[in-house]
Amino acid sequence: MVFRGGGGGGGAPAPRGGGPPPPRGAPPPGLEAFHAKDCPALTEGEQANGNLISLSHDQPEKGVTVRPGGAPATVLVKLCNTTDRPLTNIALSTQLEWSDAGERSPGLKVERRETPDGTWRAAELVVANDHQPLTGADGARDLAPGATRVVEYRFRAAEDAPSGARPLTIHAVRADADPGDIEELRGGGTGSLPLRVLPRD
């Protein structure tokens, strides 16, 4: 899975999370260049796990940074079918590892849209301490042999969102998989990045 993140500083092109979000229907900045990048090869661990989809994002080291009550940050995510056969019903699930799961909310809102000009839609953020890839999975689409799919995520932090950095994982899973059968869960892919909520001013 490939991610392209906006928000935060650095010497890269101007962050997309530092200002108002793009108007509905406008392609995100940097989409064409990101889409043109080669898909990353599956790692040995991913191959051993049976993954068939590679996922990546556009700022793998920086990740996503948001300020409570501030402007949203965005990240582009690329799914690549590494096989020569179609993969059907591939849905997306977003999970945040959160040590206080069940005790308090991380105060985050997540939205997703298809590029280049899809409509923003609410996406469920699974808050848990373990792997629950099918929880909240939606937006299922087929992925043709060797094809790619680029989606854009948008993150906002509420005024009272607790600060800190936490692992965020996006899962590509078969929407019709049996959640009780581990073999059924294979064939997708995962991509991770840090999500940071800055301290309140």
Side-chain angles (χ1 to χ4, degrees):
M1 185 176 267
V2 178
F3 298 89
R4 175 180 175 88
R16 288 181 284 121
R24 176 178 171 178
L31 173 62
E32 185 175 349
F34 178 68
H35 210 307
K37 288 186 176 180
D38 292 337
C39 293
L42 293 173
T43 65
E44 291 184 2
E46 289 172 334
Q47 294 180 41
N49 192 50
N51 289 12
L52 302 177
I53 298 173
S54 67
L55 292 84
S56 54
H57 64 91
D58 63 353
Q59 292 184 4
E61 295 181 0
K62 183 187 303 181
V64 175
T65 300
V66 289
R67 186 180 299 278
T74 58
V75 61
L76 287 174
V77 179
K78 181 188 290 186
L79 292 77
C80 304
N81 182 349
T82 66
T83 76
D84 58 359
R85 66 180 188 274
L87 301 177
T88 59
N89 293 318
I90 301 300
L92 293 167
S93 173
T94 311
Q95 180 171 333
L96 182 72
E97 292 187 25
W98 179 250
S99 59
D100 295 330
E103 298 179 11
R104 61 173 178 165
S105 168
L108 297 169
K109 177 182 178 181
V110 184
E111 298 170 287
R112 187 183 69 238
R113 70 169 181 165
E114 299 292 329
T115 63
D117 55 4
T119 300
W120 287 109
R121 302 182 186 281
E124 181 178 349
L125 178 64
V126 179
V127 180
N129 294 321
D130 55 2
H131 185 64
Q132 296 179 306
L134 288 182
T135 304
D138 63 0
R141 293 193 175 196
D142 295 345
L143 201 57
T148 62
R149 173 187 178 188
V150 178
V151 298
E152 184 177 22
Y153 280 86
R154 185 163 69 185
F155 299 87
R156 301 174 190 266
E159 290 279 0
D160 59 351
S163 61
R166 300 166 187 92
L168 175 76
T169 303
I170 296 178
H171 304 277
V173 297
R174 279 184 42 217
D176 57 353
D178 179 356
D181 186 343
I182 189 62
E183 293 298 326
E184 282 283 288
L185 298 182
R186 294 181 175 175
T190 61
S192 299
L193 72 161
L195 188 150
R196 299 179 179 86
V197 178
L198 299 176
R200 290 184 290 275
D201 293 332

